[in-house]
Amino acid sequence: MKRSKKYQAAAALVDANKVYSIEEAVELVKKTSTVKFDATVDVSIRLNVDPKKADQQVRGTLVLPHGNGKTKTVLAITDRTEEAKAAGADFVGGKEMLEKIQKENWFGFDVLVATPNMMGEIGKLGRVLGPKGLMPNPKTGTVNPDIAKAITEIKAGKVEYRTDKEANMHVSIGRVSFEDQKLAENLNALVEAIIKARPAVVKGTYIKSAAIHTTMGPAVKLNIAGR
């Protein structure tokens, strides 16, 4: 693949043979952003797990200390409409909102949260919501009797991390405009959460490799592997 001159200049700032501390990596990755907009800062981590086995799936959520710079549009399916509205949900309703999704093919939201009593109705749209990653799940906190808490956390910068079929995970932890310290604190919080979620059956090395990068920018290797 032929790279642009800007990308090549950015890549030249990175020592491909070096693994950087979180603080060093955060400072460097901001310098490698080649786009004119406020680029997203992403972390990619490869784990020593077998996602095909139920006891080795790594999945969870956390509220980043400083959010990730992304504002998510929330649809709340609940009978506790006033609580949901007060918490900041962008759309609130019950069966009528589900009918809108089904009949109008409407997906003007990023996250769907619900109270447990509504899951029977939502389950009927499993084939529609599931493939888009919009099906509420207790494991990610999007099915919650405390609907206000679920919405507040999402609006505050709650992110999900989960391994894909290749045992990799990719999480956005902020934007280039963030202060170095805030990005570092977000990254540390993510690493701690992933380590805490380590499957009991995994022996030896858990984190095989990790890197931080911006939108369309080169990867900077992180010194968190081997744990």
Side-chain angles (χ1 to χ4, degrees):
M1 182 184 296
K2 187 176 181 179
R3 299 288 191 177
S4 68
K5 290 183 179 180
K6 285 186 177 181
Y7 180 93
Q8 291 178 34
L13 298 174
V14 183
D15 184 344
N17 298 314
K18 179 179 178 180
V19 288
Y20 294 83
S21 69
I22 286 177
E23 291 72 19
E24 290 175 325
V26 164
E27 181 180 359
L28 180 56
V29 79
K30 292 174 66 173
K31 295 178 181 178
T32 65
S33 179
T34 61
V35 296
K36 294 182 179 180
F37 56 86
D38 190 9
T40 297
V41 178
D42 298 321
V43 178
S44 298
I45 299 175
R46 186 173 188 182
L47 301 179
N48 180 31
V49 299
D50 184 352
K52 296 179 181 179
K53 297 181 179 178
D55 60 354
Q56 293 189 44
Q57 294 177 0
V58 180
R59 179 181 185 181
T61 60
L62 79 152
V63 178
L64 293 172
H66 306 289
N68 67 355
K70 295 183 179 180
T71 302
K72 292 186 176 181
T73 302
V74 178
L75 165 62
I77 302 297
T78 179
D79 52 2
R80 295 159 67 173
T81 56
E82 293 306 314
E83 289 181 42
K85 290 178 182 178
D90 300 278
F91 303 100
V92 182
K95 291 183 180 180
E96 75 280 6
M97 297 304 292
L98 297 177
E99 290 177 0
K100 181 178 178 68
I101 293 172
Q102 188 170 33
K103 295 179 179 180
E104 300 177 22
N105 196 34
W106 174 73
F107 293 98
F109 54 94
D110 301 308
V111 183
L112 194 161
V113 298
T115 40
N117 63 317
M118 301 300 293
M119 286 308 295
E121 293 297 326
I122 295 173
K124 297 176 183 178
L125 295 184
R127 292 184 178 179
V128 176
L129 298 172
K132 294 182 178 293
L134 294 171
M135 193 68 181
N137 189 318
K139 292 182 179 179
T140 61
T142 46
V143 178
N144 197 326
D146 190 343
I147 195 71
K149 179 181 178 182
I151 296 166
T152 299
E153 288 183 343
I154 292 169
K155 289 293 186 178
K158 184 177 184 178
V159 296
E160 179 181 3
Y161 58 88
R162 66 182 300 179
T163 47
D164 59 20
K165 294 179 180 179
E166 304 299 324
N168 299 312
M169 59 174 59
H170 310 280
V171 183
S172 296
I173 62 164
R175 294 188 181 275
V176 170
S177 60
F178 279 30
E179 296 174 7
D180 291 6
Q181 182 181 351
K182 290 184 177 181
L183 280 174
E185 289 176 358
N186 279 354
L187 179 49
N188 273 308
L190 173 64
V191 173
E192 289 175 7
I194 292 171
I195 291 175
K196 189 175 180 180
R198 175 177 181 145
V201 297
V202 175
K203 306 301 179 183
T205 298
Y206 173 47
I207 299 178
K208 298 180 71 174
S209 61
I212 186 172
H213 49 92
T214 62
T215 306
M216 298 174 68
V220 178
K221 295 179 182 177
L222 285 168
N223 186 23
I224 62 172
R227 301 189 185 188

